[in-house]
Structures are given as structure tokens and as C-alpha cells.
Amino acid sequence: MLGPLLVQTDEGPLRINGRRQSTVLAMLLLSADRTVSVDSLVDAVWPDSPPATARNQIAICIATLRKNFKQAGVTDLLVTSPPGYVLARGEHRIDVREFMEQAERGREAARQGRAEEACALLEEALSTWRGPALGELTGERIEAEATRLQQLRLDLIEERAGLMLELGRHRALTGELTELVQQYPLREQTREQLMLALYRCGQRAEALDVFRQGRRLLCEELGIEPGPALQQLHDLILRDSPELTRPPDARQMRPVAPQTVPAQLPADVMGFTGRQEELAALDRLLKDQYNLHAPAVATIVGVGGVGKTALAVHWASQATERFPDGQLFADLRGYDEEHAPVSPAAVLDRFLRALGVPAPQIPGDPDERGALFRSILSTRRTLIVLDNVRSFARLRPLLPGGGRSVVLATSRETLDDLTGDYTTLRIRLRVLKPGEATTLLTKIAGADRFGSDPVAVEQLSALCDCLPLALRIAGARLAAKPNLSVRGLVERLRDQRRRLDELSPSEGGVRAGFRLTYRDLPEETARLYRRLGLLRTADFAAWAGAAVLDTDVWHAEALIDQLVDAQLLEVADTEPGRAARYRFQDLLRLFARERAEADEPEEECDAALERTFAAWLWLAEEAHRRLDGREFPVGRAPAPAPRFLPELADELLTAPLDWFESERAAVTDVVAHAAETGRARYAWALTESAVPHFETRNYLEDWQRCAELALSSARRTGDRSGEATMLRLLGSLAIYQRRYEQAEGWNTAALRLLRETGERPGAALAQRNLAMCARFQGDWDRALEYCRAALEGFHAVGDTGNEAHLLGFLAQIELDRGEVERALPLAAEAVALSRRTGSVRAEAQSVYRLAEARLRAGEPAEAADSFREVLQLTRKEGDRVGEAHALRGLGQTQWSQGLLSAAGGTLQQALEITEELADRFLCARVETDLGCVEAIGGRSAAAAERFGRAHAMFGEVGAQPWRARAARLLAAVAGDTGECGSGKGAGDSPQRSFTAAELNLLLAGPAG
């Protein structure tokens, strides 16, 4: 690249076709081993107006370059690395890198006083140039890089010239320096070196003439006199000073006065706590090999008060010995309420003065000022700390051009423009960990304040969001007010209306920090922020932002990204492949809600909440429909579709259970919020929609909390339909928890209300629940009576899915009664009907009933196939409860076939899931089957222990028919014909084997 772009292989030059490919390759070469974003490549190729297909054309360029390199036997050079590409240098040689590395070796030799060696190394570095850098390539980015490289080359020529003058080789310099002065007449150091070389060659008049020409040029073109160094040399030549015949100190040949070592860092932060990972990452930045082509830049980004400046100053204070040429510090005031931001030009002026540049020599032009700053730092190792940087545009002029300096910048906004162009470390600073937060509080307030109440200090940390600024304010209050107890401050902060006031003394503190960021948001982004603060969910997806703002999702995502960049929102941890979710820190949510109440009319806030609740309900109902493969809700109109959601439904609800899982916490929060604010219909309808998810994943506490909150709200608002629905769902939950008497009470109350309101679908569901209660209590006749009534109701309203489910349940009752011949056709009909609904869940339940009927009918092979089908269906849906049932049924089938080893493994898997789900009834069923495996294997004692555990658990959950079966099995293996409730005495029984037929007969016998 130090000349026209050339790619050389062992076989000869490799042809690069066209300006576009050459530009892309040049950009990648200039940033070798670092990612260059596609946007940077587009900007380099089309600096003014890139076409709509620009990104595709870049991809085509990369593909063509890869093809060319592959033909030369190179396949690992260009690597895709989002958001762009990397040119992996490997063993390949790049002349720019070799030039920079050789130049650094020469400079290091010069610093150590080895002038002869330094001169040779610099000569070798300069010999790599073949002409103007990057030849005839054009474009703003390429030309800027070429100019920078040329500037480095000129600096190196001047450094080599200084060394040659020091070594007395002035005669060899005159021709080269004369040509250089003609090409760059405004470079004063080159002119100074030429004057000295001419004078030492005995050409005093020519040396003075070089000064006169330079002075005239500077006065005419720039209106300035030559600099002090040039004027001093002119005076020395006029006097024929003896100093001119001595080899000059190399330091005097530099463009500035003798080096000043600045030490501008503020004092380290008192009580600095935590941040070990971030400090280690910054330390690694020093240990990594410096890229001499680009400066190392670390950015610390985070919300106001999170401790960005504290981290930067603390690390910088620990690292001062690593920067022998000094430490520069500037607060750019990008987020100051009282003062205007400091311009880069003003910072450069301060930095240049600190580096020893006399005021008259500091250029007025900002670009020239930046060039001088880069020139000075090119051979130094300096740390530059830039605090409160508002944007990359304000950061860029303050970056060195290369060398060994490090820049550490803090900002509240992501400085993404650094991607690909610099050696970067990005630190997104979050709040402290809980343990670190309590440590900081202890340091500020004193350990004696918390010794008697460790719980209170944890609560205080949590109420401060573990935000360092809030913690310091709280700790300082405790330290200043001995009469204020920790518990008292905790109680004050618990009040959400007072929390920000308590943490914002004298209009400063936490609120002031947030206000500065909020103040500078675009109006629409600020509106989204404050309306999102109305929500009480732990996290939310982008579509919730669209709902509160009444816009489309794509626009909402763009605005949310702005809030994330401003550190007012953060991206929640989500599983790979799932859509991004966002969350507030509590204090930021309180500030957002505060701004909504102050800046938004009350009716706008209410409308935003209504739209968001409606969006959650529509998506939940649609997910329920897709999960069950049938219309939902049955018997009433579904929630109306928000205008921006239907087109996204397929994307959001590809896997309905996964959607419910991602929204699990949000759904419960929305139910609570809606119930509290009198929006009962949203509360109970959303609960009803989420029940399949609660059931499938065994989230019984969520189920109960939502149903109870919704029931209370429905009763307060006189919503009888909602009241009846929640009574029924609480009854369903009680059945699931095996509390049958309580379930019967809930469902009886629900049925009475549903009959009064004429809601036949809901009444049929309550009757189905009552049938389940009767079945588990062993009352087959009453179970059949409720089943037939429910079946009639489902058929009348066309609820095919529940009709299929009830047919399978009828088959189960017939199996319980020992009527296998009646059960088989009912189970087969249920499977056929459920498959017509398209519901995987309904099909799995029906196939399970058919499998049990086949097993009881003496068809174990067919039963095993059906259980395996259920296993496949439930695993596909992530239905852990269904998976456990399928494994248990398969295990029973296997021991019935004499496959004891396989049965043991299958049942052990089922047992692990039941323990995970804490399902006592299903656990007892699995223990029963494992007892059968032990009994068939001749291990009566172990079998008795299993049956004893099952007997006890069936009793706990009130499953009397199964308790009776477990008692028969226990009595058989224990050699006791009476009912046993434990395995006592089983160890003294004869150890004999049982047949599968004997055990199945005991399992299938009459209950009780």
C-alpha cells in the first residue's frame, strides 16, 4: 500500500479488478486483524450517495476477492465477522505494518541513544515506500488514510535527518532536504534541518536564503512569522555561533520544546468498590500487542450515576507507571446542565500546552492543531482520559494517529462509530453486584451503622438499584445523620413516590443525572420512554413499545434502540434465537413514570395502558388458539386485534409455548396491574389464555396468583362472567394439585354462576372439572353423569377440542371401571377428533388415553408405539408434564413385556421430571411402576418400599382409587392380605418373583 495497491504472490502479482474492489481491499488491509463494518466499507466506496444495493455490492466484492485469493492458494484471508469482515493477516506480509513496526524499532533505538542503529532502522523503514500511499485510489476515507501515512513518512524522514545531523552526515542530506522543502514549504522542521545541513557544508548564504524564502512564504500565505526554533537558528547562523558546529541534541530537533510530562488525572475515588472484571479487561488492553497503525481506545458507557468516571479515574491512577510520557484528562461536559460542551479544539489547546508546546506555536486551525497533537504523540506513550464524551464526532479529533498511547473515554451513549477503525475495548457499565453494593454502603456510612441489621443494608442496596451514585447518597445521609436508622431510610425509600426525592438532594443526585439524559432525547423518543414507565412488567418486547406509542413495531424498535444507546433502557438477557426484550432499572422506571405524570395528560396515559393490555390479551388468545388448534375463547367474542400486530403474529407465535415462556413474568405483572386498576376483563381473560402454559410448565403459583387477583377484581367491578371463569380456573388448579374437595367447591360455585349468566361453554368446562373430581374420588357414576352433560354442552357449541378431550376422559373412566371394550372405541374416536382440531396438545392427550386402553386390552406393542408418539409430540411442544406421563406409560408397557432394564431407565427419566415438577400424584404413579419392576425382578423388599411411598403419596393428594391399588400391591409383596400404609416388615417377607400379568391384574382390579 506504500505506493500503488499491489498484491504479490509467489507466482507474481495478483490482479485486483476495478476501483471498488481495490477500495474494499485497501480498507481491510488498513485495519488488518480487526473487524471493518459493512457501513464503513460502503462509506469508503460511495462517500456521497451509496446506492440502495450498496451492502449487496460489498458482499459481491468480498466474494470476488475471496475467489481471486483462492486461485492463488489462499483461503483464510477474508473472514466474515459481524458487523463486517476481517482481513486475517496470519503469515501474510503487509508493507504498512512492516513500515510501522520498523519505524517503532528505530525510534526505540533512538530513545536509548543508539543513533547509528536507529538511523539504519529508519532508513530501512522508509525504503518500503514505492510512491504515494495507495496510489490513485480516491474517496474520503482512503484519502484520509493516505494523507495520514504520508504524514508519518514525513515525520520519519525528519527524525532520520535529525539523527544524521547528530552523526555528522550533513552532506548526504542537502539534496534530499532541498527537494523535501520544495514539496512541503510550510514544514518548518524540514526547513530548519536544511539550513543547518547547508551551514555545516559551508553554505552560509544558502542557509540564510532558505530562511528568507520560508519567512516570506509564511507571511504571505498564513500571515505568521516563523516559529521560535527557526528564528533562533537564523540568529545563530548570523552570529556564526560555535553551537552550530556541535552535533545537536536530538531532542532539540523535535517540533516542540523539551518534552513536558503532564499528570492531569483527578484524585482517585474514595471507597472505590468492585468492578474487577472491568479493571481486568482494561489491564488486558495494556498487555495486548499494540497496533502501531491505530490507537487503542477503551469506552466506558452507562447511565448517569453508574460510576463511569470513577472506574476510569481509578484504573488510570493504578496504571500511571505504564505511561511514562504522561496522563492527559479532560471533561468534555457533554451532559452538563449549566455549562456548554467543551469543543475538541479547546481541549487540544489545553493538551498541547500541557505537552510543552508554547502558546504562539499552537495553530489556530482546528485541523492543524489536531495534526500537531498527533505528531507529538506519535513517539510517546501517553494515557488520555476523556470524560463525558457526547458523540464520536467530539471524540475523533482527540484521538492519536497511532503509536503506543491509550485513550479512555466515558459516555452515556454508545460510540459505535469506533467499530473497525480502532483497536477498541467496549465496556458497558452496569450497576454493582449486590455484594459490592453493600460493601460500598459500608465504606461510606461506616460498618457500625449496619452491624445490627444486615437485612436492612441488603434492602437499602436493592432500593438504590445498586446504582453507585444512589448508594453514595444514601450512605452519606446515614453518615451525616446518626439519628437516622437504616430501617428508617429503608422505609422512606420503599415509598415509590418519595424514592427519587430521597436520592436527589438539592435538585441534584439521581434525578438530576437522569434529567440531563432525558432532556436531550428527541421528542418522540422521550414520549416512548415516559409511557413505557407506566408499565409494571419486569421486561417487555418491542411490540409493547409500539402499543404504548400507537405506532408500528419497526418504528418502535428504532426508538427503543435510541433509549438503549442513551442507557435509559437495557437489553434483558434472553436465550439465543429469541426476540430481544428490554427492561428498566427501577429508579429509571420511577423517573419515566414521574415524567409521564408531569408531561402527559391523564387520558393519554390511560389510553396507552389500554392499548398495551389489549395487545397482550390479543397475543395471548392467539397463542392459546394456536396451541389448542381450536377457536378460543369459546362462547364469547375474542379480543380485537391491534392494528400493528396481525402481520407479526406468525413471527411472534411460531412456537406459542415459547412465546408464553418469554412473556411469563410480564403476563403475571399485567394481570396484577389490570386487576389493581379496575380493568377486570383484561385480568381474567389474560389469565384464562395463559392457563395451558401454566399447566404445561407446572407454574402453579403463577396460575393461583393470577386467578385470585382476577377473581378479586371481577368481584369488585361486578363482572359476573369473569368471576365465574376464575372460580372455574381455581377449581381446575385444585384438581391439578389433587385437592378434590376444594376443587369441587370452586367448580360448583362456578357452575351456579355460569348457569345464571347462560354461558353454556363455561358451564360445560365446569361440569368436566366436576367429572374429574368424581373420578379421582372413585365415584364412577357421578363422573359419567357430569361427563355426559359436559359432552352435550361442548357438542352444542361446536367445541371440538374439548369434545375430543372429554371422549378421552370417558375412555379413562371406562378403563378405571374395568370396561376395556368400551374404552377402546372412545379413545380411538377422541384421537380422530383431536387430530381434526390441529392441536398437538389435544392430540397428545388423546393418544395417551388410547395407549392406556391398548395396554389394558393386552396390546403392549401397539401401546408402546402410542406412548412413543405421545413422547414425540410432548417433547416437540416442550410439554414437561405430558413428557413425564408418556415416559411413565412407556415404562409400564416395557415392564409388562418383560423388558425390565429398559423399563427401569425409562421410569427413572419420568421420576426425575416429576420431582422437577413437584407433581406428587404423578410421582406416586412412577413409584408404583418402579415397584412393579422390582417385584418382577424378585426384589420384594425394594418393591415394598416403592409401593409404600406411592401409597403414602396417593393418600396425601386424595387419590383414593390409586391409594387402594398401591395397598393391594404392597400387601402382595409383603405377604400381608390386609391394607398396609408402609413397607414395615417387608424386609422379612420371602423374596419371590411376580409376573407382569399378576401385577397388572392387581392394578386393574376394582378400587377400594
Side-chain angles (χ1 to χ4, degrees):
M1 292 183 286
L2 302 179
L5 184 63
L6 172 66
V7 179
Q8 183 76 30
T9 73
D10 291 339
E11 288 74 29
L14 184 69
R15 180 176 177 79
I16 305 298
N17 297 316
R19 185 192 70 84
R20 190 177 302 164
Q21 285 185 34
S22 297
T23 301
V24 169
L25 180 58
M27 289 290 292
L28 293 168
L29 285 163
L30 288 166
S31 299
D33 294 326
R34 291 179 292 121
T35 300
V36 180
S37 66
V38 174
D39 289 339
S40 296
L41 296 175
V42 168
D43 187 46
V45 176
W46 298 280
D48 297 323
S49 55
T53 59
R55 297 178 72 85
N56 287 338
Q57 291 192 46
I58 293 296
I60 292 170
C61 281
I62 295 292
T64 304
L65 287 169
R66 283 173 172 161
K67 181 179 178 181
N68 290 343
F69 289 130
K70 186 175 181 180
Q71 290 174 348
V74 178
T75 58
D76 58 350
L77 190 60
L78 299 182
V79 180
T80 301
S81 175
Y85 303 95
V86 170
L87 188 143
R89 180 170 56 156
E91 300 299 320
H92 306 290
R93 298 175 59 188
I94 301 175
D95 59 357
V96 168
R97 286 291 186 92
E98 294 184 352
F99 165 68
M100 303 291 279
E101 290 165 1
Q102 192 75 346
E104 180 60 21
R105 283 193 287 270
R107 286 167 168 165
E108 184 63 29
R111 282 192 287 269
Q112 295 179 8
R114 305 195 308 271
E116 190 76 43
E117 179 186 351
C119 197
L121 288 169
L122 295 183
E123 180 69 35
E124 186 177 344
L126 289 167
S127 69
T128 58
W129 284 72
R130 298 175 288 106
L134 296 170
E136 297 180 355
L137 289 181
T138 59
E140 183 178 345
R141 280 181 176 255
I142 293 293
E143 290 172 4
E145 289 294 334
T147 300
R148 190 182 68 80
L149 288 170
Q150 181 63 14
Q151 179 68 40
L152 290 172
R153 173 175 174 268
L154 293 174
D155 290 345
L156 210 63
I157 290 174
E158 290 175 345
E159 290 177 41
R160 183 182 61 97
L163 290 168
M164 291 180 70
L165 287 168
E166 184 179 344
L167 294 168
R169 299 176 184 173
H170 41 270
R171 294 188 184 280
L173 281 174
T174 55
E176 177 184 344
L177 290 175
T178 298
E179 183 179 352
L180 206 61
V181 166
Q182 290 173 352
Q183 290 179 340
Y184 304 97
L186 298 180
R187 290 186 69 91
E188 292 192 28
Q189 182 172 357
T190 308
R191 190 174 293 274
E192 182 183 344
Q193 290 172 331
L194 176 59
M195 288 171 61
L196 184 58
L198 289 170
Y199 180 81
R200 288 183 177 177
C201 289
Q203 302 179 44
R204 181 168 178 266
E206 287 83 351
L208 292 171
D209 188 51
V210 169
F211 175 83
R212 284 191 294 273
Q213 292 177 19
R215 181 176 185 275
R216 182 172 64 251
L217 193 66
L218 289 167
C219 291
E220 291 176 356
E221 294 199 10
L222 301 179
I224 60 174
E225 289 290 332
L230 202 59
Q231 292 192 37
Q232 182 182 15
L233 178 61
H234 175 257
D235 293 342
L236 291 173
I237 291 174
L238 287 175
R239 300 199 310 268
D240 278 328
S241 172
E243 293 182 28
L244 298 178
T245 59
R246 295 197 301 268
D249 188 332
R251 288 175 297 176
Q252 295 176 355
M253 305 308 298
R254 294 179 183 174
V256 297
Q259 180 173 331
T260 300
V261 179
Q264 297 185 338
L265 293 177
D268 199 356
V269 180
M270 183 187 73
F272 184 86
T273 302
R275 309 303 193 191
Q276 297 306 310
E277 294 179 7
E278 291 82 1
L279 291 169
L282 289 165
D283 287 341
R284 285 195 296 273
L285 187 68
L286 294 181
K287 294 177 182 177
D288 292 344
Q289 179 67 37
Y290 280 107
N291 181 348
L292 300 177
H293 168 63
V297 183
T299 59
I300 305 173
V301 179
V303 70
V306 80
K308 303 180 295 295
T309 304
L311 173 61
V313 171
H314 180 73
W315 178 80
S317 299
Q318 308 301 311
T320 52
E321 293 183 359
R322 305 294 295 273
F323 298 97
D325 295 316
Q327 307 88 43
L328 299 167
F329 178 89
D331 183 352
L332 272 64
R333 293 178 178 172
Y335 307 93
D336 197 298
E337 202 162 17
E338 298 179 0
H339 303 93
V342 180
S343 70
V347 175
L348 284 170
D349 179 78
R350 288 168 46 196
F351 282 177
L352 288 170
R353 291 170 188 266
L355 291 166
V357 180
Q361 290 189 28
I362 297 176
D365 180 72
D367 291 339
E368 292 184 13
R369 193 173 290 183
L372 178 58
F373 178 65
R374 291 190 294 274
S375 295
I376 293 172
L377 292 188
S378 64
T379 59
R380 299 191 188 185
R381 189 168 188 174
T382 306
L383 175 62
I384 305 162
V385 181
L386 302 171
D387 199 21
N388 292 310
V389 179
R390 186 56 183 271
S391 65
F392 178 70
R394 291 185 173 273
L395 173 64
R396 187 167 193 169
L398 304 174
L399 298 178
R404 302 184 303 160
S405 294
V406 171
V407 178
L408 183 54
T410 75
S411 179
R412 298 188 188 184
E413 302 171 52
T414 305
L415 303 172
D416 281 339
D417 291 333
L418 287 163
T419 301
D421 295 328
Y422 302 91
T423 302
T424 57
L425 167 67
R426 292 175 181 77
I427 296 176
R428 177 159 186 169
L429 202 60
R430 302 188 185 276
V431 296
L432 293 172
K433 297 174 182 177
E436 296 171 344
T438 56
T439 300
L440 179 58
L441 272 175
T442 304
K443 287 181 178 179
I444 301 298
D448 57 310
R449 295 305 307 272
F450 305 108
S452 60
D453 199 350
V455 175
V457 70
E458 292 179 6
Q459 293 173 335
L460 183 57
S461 298
L463 289 168
C464 290
D465 254 0
C466 295
L467 185 73
L469 176 60
L471 292 165
R472 288 182 176 276
I473 291 171
R477 289 195 63 184
L478 290 172
K481 296 184 177 182
N483 294 329
L484 175 61
S485 69
V486 179
R487 183 68 59 182
L489 183 55
V490 166
E491 290 305 317
R492 293 186 189 187
L493 295 182
R494 281 192 197 281
D495 184 349
Q496 294 190 357
R497 296 287 176 180
R498 294 181 57 184
R499 193 181 306 171
L500 282 175
D501 292 333
E502 295 288 338
L503 297 174
S504 305
S506 303
E507 293 302 313
V510 172
R511 183 184 281 118
F514 294 166
R515 184 171 58 240
L516 292 175
T517 304
Y518 173 77
R519 177 194 65 183
D520 295 324
L521 292 174
E523 174 53 35
E524 194 173 20
T525 310
R527 186 182 304 119
L528 175 63
Y529 169 66
R530 57 183 181 255
R531 288 186 181 179
L532 285 171
L534 297 170
L535 304 179
R536 299 181 190 175
T537 57
D539 56 26
F540 53 85
W543 57 262
V548 297
L549 206 57
D550 196 18
T551 186
D552 62 77
V553 175
W554 318 118
H555 185 51
E557 279 186 331
L559 298 179
I560 287 173
D561 283 344
Q562 292 180 27
L563 293 175
V564 171
D565 288 344
Q567 315 306 313
L568 293 174
L569 278 181
E570 58 186 22
V571 180
D573 296 329
T574 54
E575 293 183 12
R578 289 192 176 177
R581 297 186 68 79
Y582 307 91
R583 65 185 174 205
F584 280 105
Q585 293 176 24
D586 280 348
L587 292 173
L588 281 167
R589 185 198 308 277
L590 291 177
F591 181 73
R593 189 179 306 164
E594 187 177 273
R595 296 321 313 160
E597 292 170 354
D599 301 344
E600 296 266 2
E602 185 177 352
E603 57 271 19
E604 289 290 343
C605 293
D606 288 342
L609 281 177
E610 285 283 336
R611 285 193 301 270
T612 312
F613 290 169
W616 252 297
L617 178 56
W618 184 83
L619 281 168
E621 288 188 349
E622 180 64 21
H624 190 137
R625 281 190 286 274
R626 294 179 183 223
L627 194 60
D628 275 0
R630 59 190 177 90
E631 286 303 310
F632 176 83
V634 178
R636 69 171 189 273
R643 63 180 180 84
F644 59 88
L645 277 181
E647 62 185 27
L648 289 174
D650 287 341
E651 178 182 343
L652 292 174
L653 304 177
T654 302
L657 272 179
D658 287 346
W659 181 84
F660 270 123
E661 186 67 24
S662 66
E663 296 290 342
R664 174 191 170 191
V667 165
T668 56
D669 289 338
V670 170
V671 168
H673 193 179
E676 180 185 330
T677 55
R679 298 175 172 91
R681 185 180 182 281
Y682 288 121
W684 65 259
L686 189 53
T687 299
E688 184 183 26
S689 300
V691 162
H693 177 243
F694 294 153
E695 181 180 3
T696 301
R697 298 293 170 88
N698 211 48
Y699 295 143
L700 305 189
E701 290 182 3
D702 290 349
W703 186 345
Q704 182 162 350
R705 177 171 178 263
C706 288
E708 288 177 347
L709 287 170
L711 175 62
S712 178
S713 181
R715 284 174 168 167
R716 285 198 310 271
T717 58
D719 188 335
R720 290 169 63 80
S721 180
E723 181 181 356
T725 303
M726 292 302 98
L727 286 169
R728 175 175 56 77
L729 289 184
L730 284 168
S732 298
L733 175 61
I735 291 172
Y736 202 83
Q737 295 171 322
R738 318 301 173 185
R739 295 183 282 111
Y740 302 114
E741 290 184 8
Q742 188 179 48
E744 191 167 354
W746 288 119
N747 281 289
T748 300
L751 183 59
R752 183 172 59 252
L753 268 177
L754 289 162
R755 282 172 172 167
E756 290 174 7
T757 56
E759 296 182 50
R760 192 163 187 182
L765 288 168
Q767 288 165 333
R768 181 200 65 184
N769 287 352
L770 287 167
M772 289 182 177
C773 293
R775 180 219 166 192
F776 280 111
Q777 291 170 318
D779 191 342
W780 314 126
D781 292 336
R782 195 156 60 93
L784 286 171
E785 180 185 343
Y786 279 125
C787 262
R788 293 188 183 104
L791 197 58
E792 182 182 343
F794 291 140
H795 187 74
V797 298
D799 188 347
T800 307
N802 272 315
E803 191 176 352
H805 179 266
L806 204 56
L807 283 170
F809 187 66
L810 271 171
Q812 187 67 58
I813 293 174
E814 295 296 355
L815 285 177
D816 291 339
R817 297 172 68 205
E819 301 289 345
V820 179
E821 295 303 320
R822 291 184 182 180
L824 271 171
L826 285 170
E829 186 180 354
V831 171
L833 199 58
S834 65
R835 283 176 175 160
R836 290 214 302 269
T837 69
S839 167
V840 174
R841 186 163 173 265
E843 182 182 353
Q845 290 173 339
S846 297
V847 175
Y848 178 82
R849 303 294 189 198
L850 179 60
E852 286 204 321
R854 284 175 166 171
L855 182 59
R856 292 283 295 278
E859 302 172 2
E862 292 79 358
D865 289 342
S866 294
F867 280 126
R868 289 191 180 95
E869 184 180 352
V870 176
L871 195 57
Q872 184 179 8
L873 292 169
T874 53
R875 283 176 171 168
K876 176 183 176 183
E877 290 293 292
D879 182 352
R880 296 288 279 170
V881 176
E883 181 182 356
H885 276 285
L887 286 166
R888 190 218 59 79
L890 180 58
Q892 182 183 359
T893 306
Q894 288 168 334
W895 66 252
S896 296
Q897 295 174 297
L899 305 173
L900 299 186
S901 177
T906 302
L907 291 167
Q908 192 58 44
Q909 291 181 56
L911 188 63
E912 290 172 4
I913 297 175
T914 61
E915 289 172 348
E916 171 194 323
L917 299 174
D919 188 328
R920 300 287 285 169
F921 174 77
L922 186 50
C923 185
R925 289 288 308 270
V926 178
E927 285 283 6
T928 302
D929 285 302
L930 283 168
C932 291
V933 173
E934 300 287 5
I936 296 171
R939 296 178 292 277
S940 298
E945 187 177 345
R946 297 274 190 188
F947 293 145
R949 280 202 295 269
H951 181 269
M953 284 189 278
F954 285 134
E956 290 172 16
V957 299
Q960 295 306 323
W962 276 102
R963 186 168 183 266
R965 294 184 177 104
R968 287 198 299 272
L969 290 165
L970 179 57
V973 297
D976 185 355
T977 56
E979 181 171 319
C980 295
S982 70
K984 290 180 179 179
D988 300 326
S989 303
Q991 298 285 306
R992 74 177 185 86
S993 298
F994 288 78
T995 66
E998 287 177 297
L999 296 174
N1000 273 318
L1001 187 61
L1002 290 167
L1003 282 170

